[in-house]
Every structure is written in structure tokens, then in C-alpha cells.
């Protein structure tokens, strides 16, 4: 069945043109999406780019190094369960995002959806919180890349490597979205190959198949001693922020929809790949690490930033006594960190440009050159990258701690907002007389999946609040609390600030009957029902096929 092209409608004082994407939810902007001054965003991302962004785009220091602190504080059982919970949340989130992004492949994606389907003030808060998160993560990632080099050469000042990596990042930006896509594709392949190799290696080590490992058969020995769950509920709750930081960037596949050459085909495939990424490259690899590395290993105490000497993956390889392999995996971590730094630049620049377009940021942010690059946004991101040199100062680590406090927790707000936006969109779609048959792609788990994802995000925020208020092995202090939960007050401040500035425009939420479902709508006149999960008849007999189709 073909998607019904909406009839000519009046938005503000203008007639609606289905081929023109506008931003203002009331139609008063008059600015075509992605078309500002001399240029427009280039749709240069192909299907292979989108799939690689979904599968391996954000695998970096959060997984390879940050998980060490999670093992030490919570134990292998807590790490496995917490990552599975956050992974399940992401599965629902990306499915919901896929449905929205195929229908509305607009720049700014999820913050734009929040403005349109939830509340403009909440969308403003989500947009700037997300942009600030990526802005502050970039200097950390560049510094992390420099630290990984110290594994081989500690006689060269880290400032030299920071300058080198920042220069490489600038060069990538010259090639615009195509440069981002190609770099992510190549680096993603390397990361996936490395994680797959580690999983195979870990299985061999656990079965006692490595001659240089005197431990012999290990099995589940470390799950019994020192134990699967450490520090009780606090230990378990402390893993959530680590998991969020490790998974952060999964939603970039939705943000990239505005620059995908064919989002109708590439986005559904990419969102389904997320399941395999979560199951294999996160859950399975961390399960293997928990089997072959004791969580009370003293070196895990040094887990901070990107000190690969404290990486649980590198430590697990070192314990097996295989020479040369730790150095190889350290190189993989270096590549992974640079990949995430590349994603930082993409995520922040596109979000800031969309915020400017919607009137929620300075007007100069909207400028895009003839090659499709949001130049001023890129310059701002690179300027934030210079903060990496703060690490040379005596109190540099303190500055980084506060900068990073803006990022990890913010992902839960963003993911929860995506799920809730999907729920509200479906309500508006139904209220305005549309049927599900008109959707070119449907989230495999529907509204129920989005509700579960939203609830899981709320639970993760509550658990993180608890462990921030009552930290492991330390008294309750304001400084400790805000180091872990700073993103919460920031989001509330942004929300209230815009609500006051806009004088409560739109009320507390957008009503289903008043949602703008036309602006930015991409229509599809020729849908193939055989390749579209939105047109399969639902019955008890088709449940197995529908479940398989959600992942393949």
C-alpha cells in the first residue's frame, strides 16, 4: 500500500510543500531544512556507512577502558546485567528512532522530534544537553588517544600527540560528511574485527587452550571468587553510567538520516544491526572479560580516562601471557578513541546547526558552505578540542572530571526522550486520522517497546541518582554528587530557562491533535510490501517471523 501524500495544507501564512522541509512547528520559519545561505547539507552517507555507524560507530574508550571501573565496583555479574538492561533500552530506542527518522529525515533528529511531539522547551534542553555532551567529550577523547601512545613511548610529551590527533580531525572535516562516513566505515571494520578476535581468544583462554597461561581451565572461577556481584546494590547501580558512556553514540544513526542518500532503505537495516552490536560487541565481549579476568585485579584500580594499562581487555590478554598481543589491542583502542572523536565532531556540529535553524541558538550557526559543511559549528567543536591541552596543567584531571560529568548521564535523558517522542507521535498520527499502513517503516516493537525503553531510562536515572547520593566507600558530599549527576540540574536549568524565555509557548506539552505531522515529511509513493515490516499481517503464527525480522 502506498503512503498517502498529505493534501495541501496551510501552515502559518504559507502553503505546505511536501518536498520542502521546514523547521518551525507552526510553519512561520520559512527556512528550508538544510538550506541556509550558500549551501545545504549533503546527502552523502550510503547504506554501508549507516550500517557501520550503527554496528561499531561508538565502540571506544567507554567499552575498552571505562568498563574496568565497572568490573571493580560491581563485579562481572553486575556488568553483564546492567549492560544488558541498557542494551535492551537502546534496542527499543533505536527502533523508535528508525521509524521517526525514515518518515522525517531532518537535521537535529531526536531533539527536533522532542520539540514537535513533546514540548518545545524540553526539545531545547535535549538539543543543547546533547550538543554540550559531545563538545566536552572531544577533548577527553583526544587526550585519551594521546595517553594510549604512552603505552609505547612515555618519553614524548602528550601535548605533541594531542596536536597531531587534533590536526588529523581537522583534515577529516575538510571532506565533510563523506569524510566522516568513510573514516567511520574503515575504523569500524577494524574495531569489529578486533572485538571478534578477542572473543575467540577469550574462549580459548577460558578453556585452558593457551600454553603460556599457567591457570589452565578457568571456567566460571572468578564468578565465585571474588564473586559475580560486588558492593551490593550500590555496585550494581554504579555500572549504569559506565554503560551509558560505553553505548553513547548509538543514536547517531538517526542524526545521520538527514545526510543519508536513501534513508528509506539504509535506516531500517542499520537499526536492526544494533541488536547484533549490543549482543556481540558489548554483552558477549564483557562476559568473556569477566570469565578470564578477576574483578579484584589491583590494576583495575587505576581505571580512569584512557589509561590502557588499566583496560580490562589489555589486562586479560596480559594475564594469558601472550607476548605482542597486548600491544596490538592497545593500537585498536587508539583507533577506537579517534573514531569516537570523529563522531563527537559530527554529533555536535549537526545538532548545533539544527538548533540555530530552529531559532534556539545564534543565527551564525546555521551557515552551511557549498560543500555541505556547517563551518561555524565545526570551528566551535575544534575550539573545544583545544581544551585537551588543559591536561598539561596541574589540575587538569579535575577539569576533565567536571566536563565529563555533563556527558554520561545525558544519554539517559536523550534516549528516554526518543522513546517518549515515538509514543506521542503514534498518538498524534492516530488522532489526526492516519493509519499505521501509511508508515514506510514501523518500529518492530511498536509503542510497547518505546514505553519499556522510557521506563528503563527512568530506572537508570533513579539508580544513578541513588549511587551518586550514596557513593561506594565514601560519605555523601555535594561535590561527589554533582560529579556524577551534573547533567540532571543542567537539563532542568535549560528546560526552565527556555520555558521562561518563550513565556510558556505551547503549554506544558504538545497535544496530539495539534502536532505538526506535515513539516519535513518525506513521502514514498512506491513501497514494496514484501520488504517492509509495516505491512505484514499480524497473527500468532507470524510471531516467530516477525521477531526474526526485527533483528535481520
Amino acid at each position: 500500500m502506498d503512503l498517502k501524500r498529505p493534501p495541501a495544507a496551510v501552515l502559518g501564512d504559507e502553503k505546505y510543500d511536501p518536498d520542502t522541509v521546514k523547521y518551525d512547528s507552526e510553519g512561520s520559519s520559512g527556512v528550508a531544512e538544510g538550506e541556509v545561505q550558500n549551501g545545504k547539507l549533503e546527502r552523502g552517507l550510503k547504506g554501508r556507512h549507516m550500517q557501520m555507524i550503527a554496528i561499531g560507530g561508538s565502540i571506544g574508550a567507554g567499552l575498552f577502558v571505562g568498563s574496568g571501573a565497572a568490573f571493580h565496583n560491581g563485579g562481572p555479574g553486575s556488568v553483564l546485567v546492567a549492560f544488558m538492561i541498557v542494551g535492551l533500552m537502546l534496542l527499543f530506542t533505536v527502533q523508535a528512532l528508525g521509524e521517526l527518522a525514515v518518515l522525517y529525515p531532518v537535521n537535529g533528529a531526536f531533539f527536533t522530534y522532542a520539540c514537535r511531539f513533546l514540548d518545545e522547551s524540553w526539545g531545547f534542553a535535549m538539543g543543547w544537553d546533547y550538543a554540550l555532551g559531545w563538545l566536552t567529550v572531544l577533548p577527553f577523547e583526544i587526550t585519551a588517544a594521546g595517553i594510549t601512545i604512552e603505552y609505547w613511548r612515555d618519553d614524548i610529551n602528550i601535548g605533541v600527540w594531542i596536536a597531531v590527533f587534533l590536526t588529523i580531525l581537522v583534515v577529516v572535516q575538510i571532506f565533510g560528511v563523506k569524510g566522516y562516513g568513510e573514516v567511520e566505515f574503515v575504523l569500524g571494520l577494524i574495531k569489529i574485527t578486533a572485538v571478534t578476535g578477542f572473543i575467540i581468544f577469550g574462549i580459548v583462554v577460558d578453556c585452558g587452550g593457551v600454553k603460556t597461561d599457567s591457570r589452565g581451565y578457568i571456567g566460571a572461577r572468578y564468578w565465585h571468587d571474588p564473586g559475580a556481584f560486588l558492593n551490593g546494590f550500590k555496585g550494581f547501580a554504579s555500572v549504569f553510567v559506565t554503560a551509558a558512556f560505553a553505548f553513547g553514540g548509538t543514536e547517531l544513526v538517526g542524526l545521520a538520516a538527514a545526510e543519508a542518500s536513501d534513508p528509506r532503505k539504509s535506516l531500517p537495516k542499520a537499526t536492526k544491526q544494533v541488536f547484533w552490536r549490543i549482543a556481540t560487541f558489548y554483552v558477549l565481549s564483557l562476559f568473556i572479560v569477566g570469565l578470564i579476568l578477576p574483578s579484584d585485579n589491583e590494576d583495575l584500580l587505576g581505571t580512569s580516562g584512557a589509561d590502557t594499562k588499566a583496560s580490562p581487555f589489555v589486562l586479560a590478554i596480559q594475564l594469558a601471557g601472550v607476548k605482542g598481543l597486548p600491544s596490538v589491542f592497545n593500537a585498536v583502542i587508539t583507533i577506537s578513541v579517534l573514531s569516537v572523536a570523529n563522531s563527537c565532531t559530527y554529533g555536535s556540529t549537526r545538532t548545533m546547526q539544527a538548533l540555530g535553524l530552529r531559532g534556539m541558538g545564534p543565527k551564525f550557526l546555521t551557515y552551511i558552505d557549498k560543500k555541505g559543511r556547517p563551518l561555524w559549528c565545526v570551528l566551535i567543536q575544534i575550539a573545544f578540542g583545544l581544551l585537551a591541552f588543559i591536561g598539561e596543567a596541574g589540575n587538569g584531571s579535575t577539569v576533565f572530571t567536571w566536563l565529563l560529568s555533563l556527558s554520561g548521564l545525558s544519554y539517559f535523558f536523550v534516549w528516554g526522550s526518543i522513546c517518549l517522542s515515538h509514543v506521542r507521535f503514534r498518538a498524534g498520527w492516530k488522532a489526526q486520522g492516519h493509519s499505521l499502513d501509511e508508515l514506510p517503516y514501523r518500529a518492530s516493537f511498536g509503542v510497547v517497546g518505546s514505553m519499556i525503553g522510557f521506563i528503563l531510562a527512568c530506572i537508570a536515572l533513579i539508580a544513578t541518582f541513588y549511587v551518586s547520593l550514596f557513593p561506594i566507600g565514601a560519605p555523601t558530599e555535594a561535590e561527589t554528587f554533582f560529579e556524577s549527576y551534573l547533567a540532571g540540574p543542567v537539563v532542568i536549568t535549560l528546560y526552565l530557562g527556555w520555558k521562561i524565555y518563550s513565556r510558556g509557548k505551547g503549554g506544558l506539552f504538545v497535544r496530539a491533535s495539534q502536532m505538526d505531522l506535515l513539516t519535513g515529511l518525506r513521502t514514498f509513493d512506491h513501497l514494496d510490501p514484501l520488504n517492509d515490516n509495516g505491512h505484514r499481517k499480524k497473527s500468532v503464527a507470524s510471531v516467530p517471523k516477525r521477531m526474526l525480522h526485527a533483528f535481520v
Side-chain angles (χ1 to χ4, degrees), residues 382-440:
I382 298 301
F384 265 81
L386 296 174
L387 291 175
F389 290 103
I390 291 178
E392 296 292 282
N395 60 345
S397 60
T398 303
V399 175
F400 274 125
T401 298
W402 285 104
L403 286 175
L404 289 175
S405 63
L406 291 169
S407 57
L409 188 68
S410 65
Y411 292 120
F412 289 129
F413 286 105
V414 171
W415 297 335
S417 296
I418 292 172
C419 290
L420 193 57
S421 294
H422 179 242
V423 173
R424 293 294 300 150
F425 158 74
R426 283 287 190 93
W429 192 255
K430 181 179 180 181
Q432 296 187 30
H434 296 278
S435 70
L436 296 182
D437 290 332
E438 297 177 63
L439 297 175

Side-chain angles (χ1 to χ4, degrees), residues 358-389:
R358 200 177 179 92
M360 293 180 170
K363 191 174 181 179
F364 69 86
L365 294 177
T366 63
Y367 178 76
I368 300 175
D369 69 3
K370 294 180 180 180
K371 293 186 178 181
R373 298 170 298 194
L375 285 184
W376 285 108
C377 298
V378 171
L379 290 175
I380 291 172
Q381 178 66 89
I382 298 301
F384 265 81
L386 296 174
L387 291 175
F389 290 103

Side-chain angles (χ1 to χ4, degrees), residues 267-448:
L267 263 173
K269 289 182 180 179
T271 55
K272 291 171 186 176
Q273 297 295 334
V274 171
F275 168 78
W276 300 109
R277 171 189 167 187
I278 293 170
T280 304
F281 304 121
Y282 282 88
V283 176
L284 183 56
S285 65
L286 290 172
F287 174 67
I288 296 297
V289 170
L291 289 177
I292 62 178
L293 177 69
S295 56
D296 61 352
N297 187 296
E298 293 183 359
D299 290 326
L300 288 175
L301 290 171
T303 300
S304 62
D307 186 355
T308 52
K309 295 176 182 178
S311 165
F313 288 79
V314 173
L315 289 174
I317 296 172
Q318 287 178 338
L319 280 180
V322 180
K323 295 182 178 180
L325 198 54
S327 184
V328 171
F329 209 87
N330 184 76
V332 171
I333 295 176
T334 305
I335 291 171
S336 300
V337 170
L338 289 176
S339 171
V340 175
N342 187 39
S343 297
C344 287
T345 306
Y346 183 82
S348 65
T349 54
R350 270 55 180 183
T351 303
M352 285 190 293
Q353 192 268 341
L355 283 163
L357 246 161
R358 200 177 179 92
M360 293 180 170
K363 191 174 181 179
F364 69 86
L365 294 177
T366 63
Y367 178 76
I368 300 175
D369 69 3
K370 294 180 180 180
K371 293 186 178 181
R373 298 170 298 194
L375 285 184
W376 285 108
C377 298
V378 171
L379 290 175
I380 291 172
Q381 178 66 89
I382 298 301
F384 265 81
L386 296 174
L387 291 175
F389 290 103
I390 291 178
E392 296 292 282
N395 60 345
S397 60
T398 303
V399 175
F400 274 125
T401 298
W402 285 104
L403 286 175
L404 289 175
S405 63
L406 291 169
S407 57
L409 188 68
S410 65
Y411 292 120
F412 289 129
F413 286 105
V414 171
W415 297 335
S417 296
I418 292 172
C419 290
L420 193 57
S421 294
H422 179 242
V423 173
R424 293 294 300 150
F425 158 74
R426 283 287 190 93
W429 192 255
K430 181 179 180 181
Q432 296 187 30
H434 296 278
S435 70
L436 296 182
D437 290 332
E438 297 177 63
L439 297 175
Y441 172 69
R442 293 189 214 169
S444 301
F445 304 98
V447 174
V448 175

Side-chain angles (χ1 to χ4, degrees), residues 41 64 83 198 209 233 294 314 322 351 380 434 437 502 542:
L41 288 174
F64 291 137
F83 269 77
F198 176 84
F233 179 74
V314 173
V322 180
T351 303
I380 291 172
H434 296 278
D437 290 332
S502 63
S542 68

